[in-house]
Amino acid sequence: MSDEQDASLWGRVCEGDEAALGSLFDRHEARLFRHARRLLTNREDAKDAVTIAFFELWRKRESVRLVDGSPLPWLLNTVSNSARNLERSSRRYRTLLARTPAAGDVPSPSAADETGVLAALRRLPAREQSVVVLTVLEGYPDRAAAETLGIPVGTVKSRLARAKAKLRDELAAIEGAWT
């Protein structure tokens, strides 16, 4: 399915066609789920992040910014935001559980990322994280990321440069700890 067909489906979604939303879901769900899994430690939370993104797509369909006729960049950004919210909520829940008497007997969940790369990505500010996700992880050009995020292209470039510098420093520290 091409971006033109994506645009056609989007036109139908804007007219209230739920079947067209289902077709967009079928087209993009796997990619969005992979993206959510990179950001979240819990598989079910990743599913929730994708579901939330499509719910928001339907709810905000009149104001969604398309890139080359596709809502995918908007969905990727929304999945990232939902993932951050779900991770924060999960962290609060784990903190609450840790305060209960039985919490000492149960090991707390840990991320599967042994290298620390995903943890370093999660520590970036949300604005920089969004730019990294769209440009580096998903391969969108700077212009498309700027359109999706509603910021100038120069801002995308500067945020990306700052994020890369921070990640480079963190990864160098991680690598130094391994040697």
Side-chain angles (χ1 to χ4, degrees):
M1 192 179 281
S2 68
D3 283 341
E4 286 118 25
Q5 289 170 319
D6 226 14
S8 171
L9 285 172
W10 181 249
R12 290 177 31 214
V13 167
C14 288
E15 294 169 0
D17 185 349
E18 294 171 5
L21 181 67
S23 295
L24 280 174
F25 179 86
D26 292 342
R27 175 164 160 68
H28 298 299
E29 182 270 337
R31 184 172 182 183
L32 293 169
F33 178 74
R34 283 191 308 273
H35 173 59
R37 281 296 285 152
R38 283 188 289 237
L39 300 174
L40 293 162
T41 56
N42 183 312
R43 180 178 176 81
E44 297 306 313
D45 283 348
K47 289 180 183 178
D48 287 347
V50 172
T51 302
I52 290 166
F54 276 97
F55 175 76
E56 290 299 308
L57 181 71
W58 178 258
R59 193 172 71 84
K60 296 180 177 182
R61 63 187 177 270
E62 293 177 7
S63 62
V64 170
R65 292 182 183 155
L66 302 181
V67 175
D68 297 329
S70 176
L72 182 60
W74 187 92
L75 284 165
L76 286 164
N77 195 44
T78 304
V79 165
S80 295
N81 292 336
S82 297
R84 275 192 296 278
N85 290 341
L86 289 166
E87 190 64 30
R88 254 193 316 269
S89 175
S90 179
R91 212 173 16 253
R92 284 191 300 262
Y93 180 68
R94 287 190 306 262
T95 301
L96 178 64
L97 285 179
R99 292 181 191 160
T100 63
D105 303 332
V106 180
S108 63
S110 63
D113 177 28
E114 295 176 15
T115 63
V117 173
L118 293 178
L121 178 63
R122 283 190 208 107
R123 283 192 290 274
L124 288 176
R127 298 177 322 177
E128 291 173 8
Q129 193 179 104
S130 295
V131 170
V132 170
V133 165
L134 288 174
T135 58
V136 177
L137 297 179
E138 292 297 330
Y140 282 95
D142 294 345
R143 178 190 58 77
E147 278 182 49
T148 300
L149 298 171
I151 58 177
V153 175
T155 304
V156 168
K157 291 179 180 182
S158 63
R159 286 181 185 174
L160 185 59
R162 275 194 306 274
K164 284 181 177 180
K166 289 175 185 176
L167 290 172
R168 188 178 317 111
D169 292 344
E170 280 204 48
L171 295 178
I174 290 170
E175 189 176 301
W178 283 20
T179 57

